[in-house]
Amino acid sequence: MLQDQLFEKVILQSKSYLTWLHLYFQGEPFLNPRFLEMVKFADQNKIFTSTSTNAHYLDKVTVDKILKSGLKQLIVSMDGITQEVYQQYRVGGNLEKVQKGLKLLIEEREKIVNNYPRVILQFLVTGQNEHQIPDLKSWAKKMKVDELQLKTTQVYDFEEGSELIPSDLGYSRYIPSGDGKWKLKKKLENKCWRMWQGAVVTWDGQVVPCCFDKDASHVMGELKSQTLMAIWNSNSYQAFRNQLFMDRSQIEICRNCTE
């Protein structure tokens, strides 16, 4: 997470046009002891706040803080309805702990008659867990989550196939190409709405184009020395956007993307 002073500085600089802040990128946000203070600061500046968690830290103390923070949306990743299946993807995870924490949050939210945070249960559909979808739907309804999202899984080196690719291709980003290989289901077009909708900031203040740039290979600028607006309108950012229009396949992070 960004250092507090830098985070607050960026929020104050951009609050006139920043509407949605998703506080999460390749890590567990609740590991940061000041995370909910950052949420509260953004909420006080009238910015919609959202985050995504593995839900291993939803104890009574944390849940109380969540409900007071102003957090508007909480995505809980739970990719299995039994421990055996869950731990295949969430290695080292404890399904019982996740379910107890989620139940506690929803119950405490109901007690104070609060609509927030809106709870989204997210399930990455793989070849290992797709058979559990009917049971998952029943459990989600029983738990009273606000929304259940069945999400397709990104697979590295998908061309050779993978046990993570579901047999029901309706839940897959990939389809057989007819020669024993696999290909993206959707044609890679030379456009991307994400380039005009938002950006991603890494823990140390680097701005990258989107969440597919997991290793910060395309740094557009640094918030420690530049404003977000200056980075957004910079020559490097405009050049990157223009490359999307010309030939998106030349950008490595775009080759396994279905947006």
Side-chain angles (χ1 to χ4, degrees), residues 120-136:
I120 297 176
L121 185 63
Q122 182 175 277
F123 188 87
L124 290 177
V125 182
T126 70
Q128 299 167 333
N129 65 17
E130 61 183 316
H131 64 285
Q132 295 194 323
I133 291 176
D135 289 338
L136 171 73

Side-chain angles (χ1 to χ4, degrees), residues 61-95:
V61 173
T62 302
V63 164
D64 287 344
K65 289 181 179 179
I66 289 172
L67 295 172
K68 294 174 182 176
S69 70
L71 183 67
K72 294 298 186 288
Q73 180 172 279
L74 182 70
I75 300 170
V76 174
S77 298
M78 194 184 86
D79 312 307
I81 200 68
T82 62
Q83 177 63 29
E84 180 184 9
V85 171
Y86 173 80
Q87 67 187 9
Q88 288 181 308
Y89 191 83
R90 299 284 169 181
V91 178
N94 185 318
L95 180 61

Side-chain angles (χ1 to χ4, degrees), residues 217-238:
S217 301
H218 302 275
V219 177
M220 300 292 113
E222 298 196 16
L223 292 175
K224 291 179 181 178
S225 58
Q226 301 166 274
T227 65
L228 181 58
M229 181 65 78
I231 295 171
W232 185 259
N233 293 313
S234 66
N235 290 335
S236 58
Y237 222 140
Q238 299 293 10

